[in-house]
Amino acid sequence: MNAPLQNPSDILVVDDVVVRFDTPEGAVTAVDHVSFGVRQGEFLSVIGPSGCGKSTLFNVIGGLLGHTSGTANVAGETINGPHPSIGMVFQEESTFPWRNVTDNVAFPLELIGMPKAQRIERARHFISLVGLDGFENRYPNELSGGMRQRVSLARTLASEPKILLMDEPFAALDEQTRLLLGDKVLQIQQQLKQTTLLITHNITEAVQMSDRILVMTYRPGKVKRIVDIDLPRPRTSDIVGSEAFGRYVAQIWADLREEASRGMRDEEKTMMGAKS
Amino acid sequence: MSMAATRPARRFTLNRALPALTGLGTVVVFFLLMELAIRTNLLSQFIVPPPSEIIASFPRVIVEEHVLNRFMLTLGECLAAGVMLTVVGVSLGVLMQRFKLLQQACETWVAALASAPVVLCYPLFLVIFGRNAWTIIMMGFVAGLPPVILKTLEGITGVRRVLVNVGRSFKLTESQQFWKILFPAALPNIFVGIRLGLIFALINVVGVEFLINFGGLGQLINELAERYDLAGTYAAICFVVLVSVLFFMAVEKAERWLTRAE
C-alpha cells in the first residue's frame, strides 16, 4: 500500500503509478499508487490474483500503455513509450509464423541493421542458450508451445535488454513443462546476470525463480507486501521439494488467499447483477 | 539393411503421389462412365459428345483453330487482370484498414459488388474501352477486385494484437510495422482473396470473350458452338481449365515463396 523504499541503484523505478480507465460504468482504477524498484541483476516477480492490474502494470512498464499519474523510469530515463532497455516476453504465443526459428530470433538484430552472417551467428548463440539447437530452420508451427515460448524468449534476449520483462510467459503450458522452462529461465538469468521482472499468478513459479516477490492486492491493484526470497542460488526446480520453499509458498498464499477470495466474491456479485 | 532403408522412402513417395493419382483416377473413371452412358444412349451425344471424340478433336482444334495463340491471349488477359487486381485490390484493402472512415463508407458497397453480376455491364465497358482486349481485361479486373479488397482488409484487421505489440516493443516505425508484421501476418488471407479474385476474373474474361466474340478461348468456344462442333467446344473448354490450373499453380508457388522466404 505504502510506497516501499527505493534503492538509488535501482535500474527500474516505478513511483506512485496510477492507471485509471474510463468505462461506461464510470472510472475504474486498475493500478493504484504502486511504487517499487528493481535492482541490477535481480529477479523480481509481481504476483496477484486475476484482475489485480498485473498485466496493466506490465504494459505500463513496457511502454505500451500510458499511466494516469506517477512515473516509471528505466536506467534514469522516463518511460513514455517502448524503451530499448526493456525487452518484453508476452503471455500469448508471439513468434512470427512466417519466419523460421533463426529468423525469428534474428528479428531485433535485423532492425538494427546487423549484417546477415553476423546476425545469424548471434541468433544461433541465443537459440543455443534457450536449448533449441537443431531447430534453427524449423517454423513455429513445427514446434510445441513450450518451444515457441523459448523462441520468443531468445528473440527478446537477442535485443540484449537491460531488463527482461515477462508477462506470465508459461501460463498456457502444463505444470511439468512450466517447471522445466523455469529452470531454463533461471539458468539463463544467472548466466547473463539478467535483470528480470516476471508478472505471474503462479506462486510456485514466483518462489522458484525470484529474489523478491511483490504481492499485489485485488482491485484496485496496490502493493500489499514485498517478500525477500532467501533461497540458495544457483537454483533449479529441485528447490520445489525443500522445506524453506514450502514455507515461502505458504506465506505468499496466506497473503494472496484473502485477495483472491475478494476477487471471487466480486466476480460472483457481478455475475448475480448481470443475471438480475 | 539397405532394402529396409529404401522401403520407407518409396512408401513416402507413393504416399505423396497418392492424392494426385486418386484425383487423376477419378477423372478417368468419370470419363469412362460418361463414354459408357453416351454409347448406351443414356445420355444424348447431341448434348454431350463422348470423351473419346473430345480427345480425338484435340489435334484438329490445335492445328486448325490456332488454339495455342488463343490460349496465350486468354492467359495474357487473365495475367493482366490478375496483376491489376492484386496490386489495386491489396492497396485498397490496406487503405480501407488504415482509414476507418473509408472502411465504414465503402465496405458494404464492395461486398455488394462482390455478389453483383458485373458481366452484365459489358456493353458499358465496350463503349468505354472499345471492342478490344482492354474491355475483357477490365471486366475481369472489376469482377475480381472485391474479394481481394475484402480479404486484405480482413487479414490486416485480424492480425493478432500480440504480434502488433511485439513490433511496438521493438520500437518499429509505422512502415516497419506494416512490412515486417502486418503484411506478412495477413498474407494467408490476402492469398485467399487473390485466389477468389482470379476465379472471378477468369470466368469474366472467358465470358466476355464469348459474349463480344473477340479474343482468345471464349471466342473460340463461341465459334465452335455456333458451328455445332460439340467435341471441339469441349476440347476448347479443356484449355480454359488448363489456364485455371496454371494460374492456381503459380499463385500457390508465390504464396509458398512469400510466406516462407525471408
Side-chain angles (χ1 to χ4, degrees):
Chain A
M1 273 169 256
N2 292 327
L5 284 177
Q6 285 147 23
N7 192 320
S9 65
D10 286 345
I11 187 165
L12 174 76
V13 178
V14 175
D15 188 17
D16 209 25
V17 163
V18 176
V19 183
R20 228 170 260 136
F21 295 114
D22 288 321
T23 67
E25 289 79 35
V28 171
T29 305
V31 176
D32 194 13
H33 298 284
V34 166
S35 300
F36 65 92
V38 183
R39 297 167 199 150
Q40 177 77 50
E42 178 184 38
F43 198 121
L44 181 109
S45 290
V46 175
I47 194 164
S50 298
C52 76
K54 300 188 295 286
S55 291
T56 305
L57 198 57
F58 169 84
N59 286 325
V60 167
I61 296 169
L64 300 180
L65 185 72
H67 44 285
T68 313
S69 65
T71 55
N73 294 297
V74 58
E77 289 177 30
T78 307
I79 298 172
N80 46 21
H83 196 283
S85 299
I86 296 176
M88 301 173 83
V89 179
F90 296 85
Q91 181 178 355
E92 303 97 319
E93 205 278 289
S94 67
T95 52
F96 301 134
W98 58 92
R99 284 173 173 250
N100 64 20
V101 170
T102 305
D103 290 336
N104 257 289
V105 177
F107 183 71
L109 309 172
E110 190 183 309
L111 295 175
I112 57 168
M114 189 182 276
K116 194 171 182 183
Q118 205 179 330
R119 71 174 183 250
I120 287 176
E121 193 192 321
R122 201 83 196 109
R124 296 222 157 147
H125 163 73
F126 287 101
I127 291 167
S128 174
L129 199 66
V130 297
L132 285 176
D133 304 84
F135 292 91
E136 291 87 351
N137 297 319
R138 298 287 184 93
Y139 282 83
N141 64 352
E142 298 168 320
L143 305 177
S144 68
M147 289 161 108
R148 281 185 232 172
Q149 277 305 62
R150 276 192 274 169
V151 174
S152 300
L153 176 63
R155 183 179 60 194
T156 306
L157 289 172
S159 67
E160 300 190 43
K162 286 192 175 129
I163 298 171
L164 178 64
L165 178 61
M166 299 195 285
D167 182 19
E168 306 191 37
F170 314 133
L173 308 176
D174 63 84
E175 189 61 25
Q176 291 147 32
T177 312
R178 188 194 289 234
L179 278 169
L180 292 174
L181 282 187
D183 274 353
K184 198 82 215 165
V185 170
L186 264 178
Q187 188 194 327
I188 293 166
Q189 194 259 340
Q190 285 158 21
Q191 194 178 331
L192 302 177
K193 300 195 183 350
Q194 177 72 59
T195 310
T196 308
L197 177 58
L198 171 73
I199 308 282
T200 182
H201 62 252
N202 188 306
I203 305 174
T204 318
E205 187 176 271
V207 176
Q208 181 196 350
M209 295 200 261
S210 312
D211 296 306
R212 289 188 300 154
I213 297 176
L214 185 153
V215 183
M216 286 185 78
T217 63
Y218 178 69
R219 211 172 285 163
K222 298 178 185 182
V223 178
K224 182 166 188 171
R225 201 151 78 90
I226 294 183
V227 183
D228 285 303
I229 306 295
D230 190 17
L231 291 172
R233 282 196 187 270
R235 273 181 224 164
T236 64
S237 52
D238 290 347
I239 200 94
V240 171
S242 76
E243 200 182 312
F245 183 91
R247 269 203 308 275
Y248 280 120
V249 170
Q251 187 185 337
I252 289 162
W253 173 232
D255 279 332
L256 271 181
R257 185 179 193 143
E258 187 190 334
E259 301 303 325
S261 307
R262 215 151 59 79
M264 203 183 263
R265 280 198 300 274
D266 196 40
E267 211 170 62
E268 283 166 4
K269 224 187 282 175
T270 313
M271 298 282 279
M272 293 292 276
K275 253 187 176 177
S276 61
Chain B
M1 183 72 190
S2 62
M3 271 180 72
T6 51
R7 252 182 216 155
R10 266 186 203 161
R11 207 171 297 143
F12 178 67
T13 315
L14 188 69
N15 279 347
R16 282 187 66 177
L18 199 61
L21 288 174
T22 311
L24 203 67
T26 311
V27 173
V28 171
V29 169
F30 174 73
F31 282 160
L32 285 174
L33 287 175
M34 287 292 286
E35 186 83 26
L36 195 71
I38 295 161
R39 299 265 176 226
T40 53
N41 286 329
L42 271 174
L43 274 174
S44 165
Q45 62 174 323
F46 299 110
I47 297 170
V48 189
S52 55
E53 263 182 43
I54 298 173
I55 292 165
S57 73
F58 267 89
R60 178 169 51 83
V61 169
I62 291 170
V63 177
E64 290 171 20
E65 308 295 343
H66 309 291
V67 82
L68 291 178
N69 288 345
R70 292 169 184 272
F71 173 79
M72 291 310 287
L73 192 60
T74 302
L75 191 72
E77 285 163 353
C78 284
L79 188 69
V83 169
M84 280 166 65
L85 66 88
T86 302
V87 173
V88 177
V90 172
S91 307
L92 287 178
V94 170
L95 277 177
M96 280 170 72
Q97 190 273 335
R98 191 85 182 72
F99 301 103
K100 236 21 196 188
L101 181 67
L102 192 66
Q103 183 187 343
Q104 286 164 346
C106 302
E107 197 178 352
T108 316
W109 292 108
V110 177
L113 184 66
S115 54
V118 181
V119 72
L120 298 181
C121 297
Y122 81 93
L124 176 69
F125 281 71
L126 268 178
V127 171
I128 298 171
F129 298 101
R131 191 168 169 271
N132 59 43
W134 275 109
T135 292
I136 297 162
I137 293 168
M138 291 312 285
M139 283 295 304
F141 164 65
V142 172
L145 198 56
V148 184
I149 297 174
L150 294 175
K151 292 308 276 186
T152 302
L153 178 62
E154 185 188 311
I156 299 178
T157 313
V159 173
R160 288 188 296 128
R161 186 80 210 151
V162 69
L163 296 185
V164 177
N165 280 341
V166 170
R168 288 180 65 201
S169 76
F170 285 121
K171 287 183 80 70
L172 262 58
T173 61
E174 221 169 302
S175 151
Q176 284 175 320
Q177 185 78 267
F178 177 77
W179 288 110
K180 291 196 178 288
I181 294 184
L182 293 177
F183 187 68
L187 265 180
N189 257 307
I190 292 174
F191 270 99
V192 172
I194 292 173
R195 279 208 191 97
L196 286 170
L198 279 176
I199 292 171
F200 289 173
L202 180 64
I203 292 169
N204 278 269
V205 162
V206 178
V208 176
E209 279 180 347
F210 184 94
L211 282 171
I212 68 172
N213 202 19
F214 182 90
L217 294 170
Q219 186 194 20
L220 178 63
I221 292 168
N222 189 355
E223 283 174 9
L224 292 168
E226 278 183 6
R227 275 188 254 149
Y228 211 70
D229 180 355
L230 283 184
T233 305
Y234 279 92
I237 290 171
C238 287
F239 279 94
V240 175
V241 175
L242 189 61
V243 173
S244 171
V245 168
L246 284 177
F247 261 96
F248 281 94
M249 280 167 67
V251 170
E252 207 177 332
K253 281 252 183 260
E255 184 176 3
R256 269 201 205 142
W257 181 71
L258 275 170
T259 52
R260 282 269 158 133
E262 187 58 47

